[in-house]
Every structure is written in C-alpha cells, then in structure tokens.
Amino acid sequence: MRTPMVAGNWKLNGSRQSAVALAGEVAATEVAGVDVVVCPVSLHLGDVSQALKGSSVLLGAQNACAEEQGAFTGEVSSTMLAEFGCQYVIIGHSERRSLFGDSNESCAARHKAVVAAGLTPIFCVGETLDDREAGNTMAVVESQLQAAFDACGDNAFASAVIAYEPVWAIGTGKTATPEQAQEVHAELRQFIAARDQQTASAVRILYGGSVNPGNAAELIGKPDIDGGLIGGAALKSADFLAICQAAAAQA
Ligand code: PEP
C-alpha cells in the first residue's frame, strides 16, 4: 500500500513572514495517513523548517544543483538543502525546463545528486498541449524518465517520487480528467516495471495541474494516482489542507 503524498510547490511567492505564517497554518492541522510536504523558496527553508518543528509536515526544496560544490554561481546543493532539514527536492518542474533550460540530461544529473545526498527527488514529467495533440504524450514523459534511468540505472526511482504534470494544466485552471491522468500514471508505472517491478509497485506517482479542493478526491481516488503536487492551491492553507484531507480519505 502506497502512503498518499500531497506536496505544495510555493514557487517564487511570499516573504519570510508570510512563508512562516503559511507553514504554521499547515502544521497546525495533523492529517493522518498522508505525507504532507511544503516546498518554499530556498531562502525561506530555515524559517519554514523552524515553523514546522513538532509537526509531521515535511520540508522540500524546488530545485537542486547537480554538483556538490564549486564554481556554480547561484546554485544550491542537495547537501546544503539537507542541512536545512529538507527531505524532498522537486526536480524537472516544467517551469525549470521551459524557463531555465533544464534539459532531460541536467534533470537526470540533479536527480542523481539528490539521491546521492540521501534526499528524495520529486521527479516531474509532463507533456505540452502540442505534444498531447500530436499523440506524443507517452513518448515525451517516457523520454523524461529514461534520462534518469540512463544516468542512475534501473533502480533510478527506488527512492523517488514521480509527479505527472501535464504542462497545459499547470496554473491554467485546466485539469486533466481523472481518466486522462490515470491512463498516463498507469503507463508510467508499466514503463518502470519493465526495469524494476518492485519499484513500479512501490513508487508514488503524484498528479499535478490545477488540483483544487473540488477535484482532488476524484483524481486521487484513481488507482495509480498517489497524491498531488499542488501549485496555486498550496498558497492558501485552507485549500491545501482540504486537498490533504481528500488524500487522507483515499488512504
Ligand atoms: C505546479 O506548479 O506544480 C502546479 C501543479 O501548479 P498548479 O497547481 O497551480 O497548476
């Protein structure tokens, strides 16, 4: 049985003060049976970590460098993130891929570095609307996973979480139907099973893309959807907690 997970990607939002307040609000409600994760900007990790102390809410970062240290201006390494209490790192978010040029190969290298540091990547895959309309959804998402297999070997996802996030659904208010999402999740699991059956059964595959309190239960109710990666709705504690509760109801 896979424990559901709900992770909030706060993106580039908030101030030190508002991040601490949001973390405190999320931490104040214990949601049993769900791994709840919040991912603030790196600069807020220390403050948010303090605000989460004593709660079961886990801390994640939004990106990590593939390198441990050296001449990589502006980057943050996995070991540095771990020092701040991070357990998860989002890798390959579509905004990183489209706005900052993170290629399949660089995402795979980051994934490898996160695992090597003992943290858990939340490895994002997803197709654009053009990809979907051209019938290329599975080819695109499988090539994104394949890059990690190439870099890390057949057990690349043994200590990882995957997030399927159709690019056309992120921040747009358009959600994949539960059936569309389930279809991709099931095929991703099969793709992993071809390399590592045990991991395929155990790995959590989250859905991300305009999840909200109104659609979370139906999405997370699907057999291969193990939770959500939440953007906009993660910035309102009531909405985020309602999504966590919807996941708990599926546990
Ligand atoms: C995201 O950025 O990972 C995301 C899913 O955003 P939203 O929920 O706002 O679509």
Side-chain angles (χ1 to χ4, degrees), residues 185-201:
H185 282 230
E187 289 196 40
L188 288 172
R189 209 177 287 288
Q190 271 175 22
F191 186 73
I192 294 166
R195 284 142 193 89
D196 180 350
Q197 179 64 59
Q198 209 181 331
T199 294
S201 308

Side-chain angles (χ1 to χ4, degrees), residues 24-100:
E25 287 164 21
V26 172
T29 301
E30 177 77 27
V31 185
V34 179
D35 286 345
V36 177
V37 184
V38 295
C39 304
V41 294
S42 293
L43 268 177
H44 295 161
L45 285 168
D47 291 321
V48 169
S49 173
Q50 290 300 320
L52 297 178
K53 274 231 163 83
S55 83
S56 58
V57 178
L58 303 162
L59 189 62
Q62 298 174 17
N63 190 22
C65 186
E67 306 294 335
E68 263 304 295
Q69 56 183 323
F72 303 102
T73 302
E75 291 287 279
V76 176
S77 77
S78 297
T79 304
M80 293 166 182
L81 295 172
E83 277 189 314
F84 279 84
C86 274
Q87 285 162 275
Y88 292 91
V89 185
I90 299 171
I91 294 292
H93 189 279
S94 74
E95 288 151 17
R96 295 290 327 166
R97 293 177 186 268
S98 65
L99 301 174
F100 302 102

Side-chain angles (χ1 to χ4, degrees), residues 7-11 90 93-95 124 163-175 207-212 228-235 243:
N9 174 12
W10 292 358
K11 309 193 187 191
I90 299 171
H93 189 279
S94 74
E95 288 151 17
C124 300
Y164 168 56
E165 299 207 305
V167 178
W168 48 271
I170 296 177
T172 59
K174 283 187 204 161
T175 317
Y207 170 78
S210 299
V211 178
N212 61 50
L229 179 54
I230 317 299
L235 296 173
I243 295 167

